[in-house]
Amino acid sequence: GWYNLAAVNAVGGNCDATIQALAQALTFDQNGQIRQTAAQDQRLDNCRQQPRFQALLVGHAEPAPAPFSTTR
């Protein structure tokens, strides 16, 4: 799922992709379990210092940028 994709990207050091995938995972987090797991998951440590990552964990995330450009 989205959370595992976030973890794989974080281990690889791709924080932009991690944040996008984690943001998607959190859209399904109805009981706070995903956010709680992400706060403790060591696989996400490479991206933990990113302000956008931190914002996701406290629930004040800005919308993720589009993964592609729609300009010509």
Side-chain angles (χ1 to χ4, degrees):
W2 288 109
Y3 185 84
N4 287 330
L5 181 59
V8 168
N9 282 311
V11 170
N14 188 343
C15 292
D16 286 336
T18 297
I19 291 165
Q20 289 178 1
L22 184 57
Q24 289 295 322
L26 290 172
T27 64
F28 301 100
D29 192 22
Q30 296 181 5
N31 63 3
Q33 183 176 355
I34 294 172
R35 186 169 277 113
Q36 182 178 9
T37 300
Q40 300 173 11
D41 191 340
Q42 292 178 353
R43 296 175 298 171
L44 302 176
D45 284 352
N46 286 337
C47 300
R48 203 168 296 285
Q49 296 304 315
Q50 298 285 324
R52 287 175 42 223
F53 182 94
Q54 293 174 8
L56 285 175
L57 293 187
V58 296
H60 301 293
E62 297 177 15
F68 55 86
S69 175
T70 57
T71 60
R72 293 181 183 217

